[in-house]
Amino acid sequence: MDFKFSAEDEAFRAELRSWLDANLPRRERGEHAEWAFSEESASHWERRVAWHKKMHGGGWVGISWPKEYGGRGATLTQQLVYGEEMSRAHAPALVNQLGTMLVGPTLIQWGTEEQKKRYVPKILSADEIWCQGYSEPNSGSDVASLQTRAVEDGDYFVVNGQKVWTSDAHHADMCILLVRTDPDAPKHKGISYLLVDMHSPGITVRPLVQITGARGFNEVFFEDVRVPKKNLVGEKNQGWQVAITTLMFERSGGGGDRGVAGQIRELAALARRLPRGGATAWDDSAVRQKIAEFQCEAVALRYTGYRQLTRRLKGLPPGPEGSMMKLCATELNLRVQTFAMELLGPYSQFEYRAPFALDKGRWSYRMLGARGPTIYAGTNQIQHNIIGERVLGLPKG
Ligand SMILES: Cc1cc2nc3c(=O)[nH]c(=O)nc-3n(C[C@H](O)[C@H](O)[C@H](O)COP(=O)(O)OP(=O)(O)OC[C@H]3O[C@@H](n4cnc5c(N)ncnc54)[C@H](O)[C@@H]3O)c2cc1C
């Protein structure tokens, strides 16, 4: 492949970089990881919404979407550049991430014109926040075994059941909900995909507190919730195909190193500041060696991302690189955060934002949060299965 970016792509990079320099306050840089799944106060949430709206105002939300739906029609290469620049600037995640990454692209592919007109603009502007109702207490990796039921009643579906781990449901206005509409059909063939107003009577959202102390996700209960039939996406009982489209967008999101390169740079800066034996931790060659190893892995991930891009530029479907990147990036992130705990020694015990904590206690927060990405969007064991079967050609277990 050619490692050089075209003049247009470099111009795109320069435009985004200068926009971020002008619009992203210093104090909000480096809070990327914490913003993804944390929430301490209403003002914190408002800051996240304000950042999303600022990005939207600058034309930097939904960049890959067609222009007719409010996107920029950015090329695949520009999407990669976008991920690199957002990571470089330590830009916080968008507040309506599930809406922009999953729901919008799925609706553009599967929605009716009416659904696109009604929902897509408010996804971009974050005027409506979305959540994803897939997982249930007994259906996670095998989500097609879900049991939440929807029964037809005139112009409505009536929904009963429970979802769990529903990120942002406590803020959400809308939900993409997988329901069983034919309990007698084989499990993948009796599922429908609904757009549900989270303010409907009969919905109860109960926040779950994560190990980080944040309330990022929830249990959601549905009791006789009436959903208009016009909110069905795709055909009744054919929702699995729509659900898979959403999952493809979920797994392909995040770019090459998925932000871990920025964390490694911060780790190196931390080592340079930490006193150790009359010098700093950075003066210890074992510490430098470890951080250099992390950096090599991050660069390998970046090039794996480029390899995937090359396939797609040649018109080939996304390969198994997505699973490899998801697996390797999340495992690398976990090791980076664990090593930060070793470097910090007793300081690692300070909680996020505790007085006297180094870097506001950000490292212990990140370490506690680093398990999550190894679980969502297909657990890492499931990624191992995919790589084993599709890359190594091993027999199915
Ligand atoms: C931070 C976070 C946010 C999330 N947000 C959402 C959300 O917004 N909406 C939503 O619907 N869900 C969400 N989830 C849920 C997530 O999708 C599920 O946790 C995930 O699919 C795994 O399902 P499970 O927890 O039921 O585990 P299980 O599927 O029960 O798995 C338990 C263990 O068994 C392993 N395992 C399962 N099957 C196999 C297999 N075939 N081969 C090998 N090992 C296997 C798994 O890897 C895991 O280690 C979120 C999860 C996290 C951590």
Side-chain angles (χ1 to χ4, degrees):
M1 72 168 285
D2 182 357
F3 286 95
K4 286 197 293 297
F5 289 92
S6 68
E8 292 80 39
D9 294 336
E10 288 299 355
F12 175 87
R13 185 191 295 281
E15 187 188 347
L16 174 56
R17 191 176 286 189
S18 69
W19 189 89
L20 286 169
D21 284 344
N23 289 283
L24 179 57
R26 288 266 149 216
R27 69 187 169 86
E28 286 175 7
R29 297 191 176 209
E31 298 200 7
H32 180 120
E34 294 80 353
W35 276 30
F37 285 103
S38 74
E39 182 213 341
E40 297 107 41
S41 62
S43 70
H44 183 252
W45 176 256
E46 280 158 20
R47 274 170 63 205
R48 292 184 61 189
V49 174
W51 169 242
H52 183 121
K53 286 187 177 292
K54 200 184 233 185
M55 288 281 289
H56 177 241
W60 297 111
V61 179
I63 57 154
S64 61
W65 300 12
K67 288 187 179 152
E68 61 186 299
Y69 296 116
R72 280 185 173 240
T75 62
L76 284 168
T77 317
Q78 287 168 348
Q79 291 167 48
L80 183 129
V81 168
Y82 179 88
E84 286 184 358
E85 289 304 309
M86 292 289 282
S87 164
R88 178 187 163 277
H90 297 282
L94 294 176
V95 74
N96 206 10
Q97 237 183 0
L98 295 170
T100 53
M101 273 174 53
L102 313 185
V103 186
T106 305
L107 284 181
I108 288 171
Q109 190 164 327
W110 286 94
T112 60
E113 270 319 297
E114 191 191 340
Q115 288 170 342
K116 289 179 200 174
K117 279 205 193 94
R118 161 66 186 82
Y119 297 111
V120 166
K122 290 190 176 182
I123 291 174
L124 279 182
S125 64
D127 285 333
E128 280 178 346
I129 303 293
W130 284 75
C131 64
Q132 179 188 24
Y134 274 36
S135 306
E136 297 184 2
N138 292 313
S139 304
S141 299
D142 180 19
V143 73
S145 64
L146 61 93
Q147 294 300 320
T148 295
R149 278 284 274 133
V151 176
E152 289 180 74
D153 180 16
D155 290 337
Y156 291 85
F157 289 103
V158 180
V159 178
N160 281 284
Q162 186 201 337
K163 297 290 171 177
V164 72
W165 320 126
T166 321
S167 302
D168 290 342
H170 53 317
H171 290 296
D173 302 293
M174 294 295 302
C175 178
I176 43 171
L177 189 72
L178 294 188
V179 290
R180 188 157 300 286
T181 34
D182 183 352
D184 301 321
K187 65 180 177 181
H188 293 92
K189 300 213 166 125
I191 292 172
S192 297
Y193 191 110
L194 300 179
L195 308 175
V196 177
D197 182 343
M198 289 294 285
H199 307 294
S200 310
I203 298 183
T204 307
V205 177
R206 207 186 286 164
L208 293 165
V209 180
Q210 290 170 260
I211 195 171
T212 53
R215 292 168 176 234
F217 53 22
N218 306 267
E219 293 177 295
V220 185
F221 300 88
F222 297 83
E223 202 182 330
D224 293 332
V225 177
R226 296 180 77 76
V227 181
K229 281 190 174 164
K230 64 178 185 192
N231 287 17
L232 175 71
V233 184
E235 300 289 316
K236 194 181 94 176
N237 296 328
Q238 305 290 318
W240 186 246
Q241 286 159 274
V242 188
I244 287 291
T245 304
T246 305
L247 284 176
M248 292 278 287
F249 286 119
E250 185 170 10
R251 289 178 189 174
S252 64
D257 65 39
R258 293 174 187 241
V260 73
Q263 310 259 328
I264 296 167
R265 279 196 298 276
E266 281 186 52
L267 186 67
L270 175 71
R272 287 193 176 92
R273 276 183 286 132
L274 274 179
R276 184 179 280 189
T280 68
W282 187 253
D283 293 304
D284 180 340
S285 62
V287 169
R288 291 200 306 277
Q289 178 71 32
K290 195 78 195 159
I291 295 175
E293 277 171 29
F294 291 148
Q295 179 63 12
C296 291
E297 288 186 55
V299 171
L301 276 168
R302 175 145 51 93
Y303 288 118
T304 306
Y306 288 175
R307 207 163 64 214
Q308 184 178 43
L309 176 71
T310 307
R311 271 183 69 92
R312 299 200 48 204
L313 288 174
K314 286 180 179 163
L316 297 167
E321 293 90 351
S323 284
M324 283 158 57
M325 284 192 299
K326 198 271 176 181
L327 176 66
C328 296
T330 57
E331 300 282 340
L332 173 60
N333 181 46
L334 195 56
R335 281 184 284 121
V336 166
Q337 309 307 340
T338 309
F339 186 65
M341 297 293 96
E342 283 177 37
L343 271 186
L344 284 164
Y347 278 94
S348 65
Q349 302 301 307
F350 283 107
E351 289 182 347
Y352 185 46
R353 299 219 159 137
F356 308 114
L358 284 174
D359 288 343
K360 293 199 256 179
R362 196 175 277 167
W363 293 99
S364 63
Y365 185 99
R366 287 177 178 168
M367 189 275 293
L368 292 171
R371 284 279 165 199
T374 70
I375 298 171
Y376 61 71
T379 69
N380 282 8
Q381 288 78 14
I382 296 294
Q383 307 304 332
H384 274 287
N385 286 353
I386 295 171
I387 294 164
E389 287 162 18
R390 290 190 45 204
V391 183
L392 304 175
L394 300 175
K396 282 195 178 213

